[in-house]
């Protein structure tokens, strides 16, 4: 982990050596660690291991703020007094009008970073990734929760280019101590249009898929109607046969001679 950041120190100025984070950029997570990155609404970044350690004073408390913005936005993340901005996702229209605070993190422990070899261990992989990576856009509920009081990290817009920045903040004074450069532009995935979907076999267009769906429904209704017609026809024929049988039975009973009573024979 440390080597990835330290490799960028070659050829830096004296100012960069005094404030090393100012020559570094947040890095998108390696494909070996985040296979689906970026997604339509998230970007996984490496946390800033061994970036701010030279500025940490014993006995003081520090935090790392992560800012996000759309590529064309204003890039200032502090006011004139070097105090970090508390702008929210809503206030800057999702990063379109300027950067917003996406996360507040603990300063990563450079002395004992996560062991990336543990990723192969199913039981340890999830914990290692949480220590090493941060996923921007991973909170789907904070915008709509009226009781949410933390820093909101809502989903990013699909097919949109973003930049990210880490800053080190002295918790006691609330002053920014150091910052990284803005990251290189990182674009979220775009949602494919229905006309570009490869529907094997035949590479059908979106319109053909809709027509096929409608025809399938119509065929189903036609078959259902046919089966219903056959069913009622069979039931009708059975009712007719039963009625005819009853009619014949009644006719036979009416035509059959009535047996002569004993009194009638006596009179004769």
């Amino acid at each position: 982990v440390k080597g990835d950041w330290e490799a960028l120190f070659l050829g830096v100025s004296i100012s960069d050596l005094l404030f090393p984070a100012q020559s570094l950029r947040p890095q998108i997570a390696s494909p070996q660690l985040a296979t689906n990155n970026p997604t339509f609404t998230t970007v996984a970044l490496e946390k800033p291991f061994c970036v701010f350690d030279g500025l940490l004073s014993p006995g003081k408390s520090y935090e790392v703020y992560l800012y996000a913005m759309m590529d064309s936005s204003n890039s200032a993340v502090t006011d004139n007094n070097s105090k970090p901005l508390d702008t929210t996702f809503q206030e800057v229209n999702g990063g379109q009008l300027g950067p917003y605070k996406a996360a507040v993190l603990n300063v990563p422990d450079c002395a004992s970073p996560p062991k990336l070899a543990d990723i192969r261990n199913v039981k340890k992989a999830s914990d290692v990734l949480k220590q090493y990576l941060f996923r921007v856009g991973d909170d789907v509920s904070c915008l709509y929760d009226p009781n949410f009081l933390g820093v909101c990290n809502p989903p990013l817009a699909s097919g949109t280019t973003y930049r990210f920045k880490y800053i080190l903040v002295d918790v006691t004074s609330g002053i920014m101590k150091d910052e990284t450069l803005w990251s290189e532009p990182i674009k979220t995935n775009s949602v494919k249009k229905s006309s570009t979907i490869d529907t094997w076999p035949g590479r059908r267009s979106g319109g053909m898929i809709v027509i096929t769906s409608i025809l399938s429904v119509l065929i189903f209704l036609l078959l259902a109607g046919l089966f219903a017609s056959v069913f009622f026809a069979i039931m009708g024929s059975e009712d007719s046969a039963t009625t005819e049988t009853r009619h014949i039975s009644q006719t036979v009973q009416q035509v059959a001679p009535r047996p002569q009573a004993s009194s009638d024979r006596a009179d004769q």
Side-chain angles (χ1 to χ4, degrees), residues 33 57 84 107 132 138 181 227 230 243 248:
L33 301 179
S57 300
V107 180
Y132 184 60
D138 202 32
L181 299 172
F227 286 133
V230 172
T243 302
I248 294 173

Side-chain angles (χ1 to χ4, degrees), residues 147-228:
N147 299 317
F148 186 84
L149 300 177
V151 177
C152 190
N153 177 34
L156 305 174
S158 62
T160 305
T161 302
Y162 290 88
R163 291 178 183 266
F164 307 96
K165 175 193 282 284
Y166 288 118
I167 71 170
L168 178 68
V169 179
D170 184 330
V171 175
T172 303
S173 65
I175 300 298
M176 183 186 74
K177 300 294 291 183
D178 199 6
E179 62 181 337
T180 67
L181 299 172
W182 283 101
S183 70
E184 296 293 341
I186 301 174
K187 188 175 183 180
T188 54
N189 288 342
S190 300
V191 178
K192 290 185 177 181
K193 297 180 180 179
S194 60
S195 58
T196 64
I197 297 175
D198 184 2
T199 53
W200 184 89
R203 299 183 62 86
R204 298 174 183 173
S205 66
M208 291 181 65
I209 295 174
V210 173
I211 294 173
T212 302
S213 301
I214 293 174
L215 291 176
S216 299
V217 173
L218 292 177
I219 291 174
F220 172 80
L221 294 176
L222 180 61
L223 291 175
L226 178 61
F227 286 133

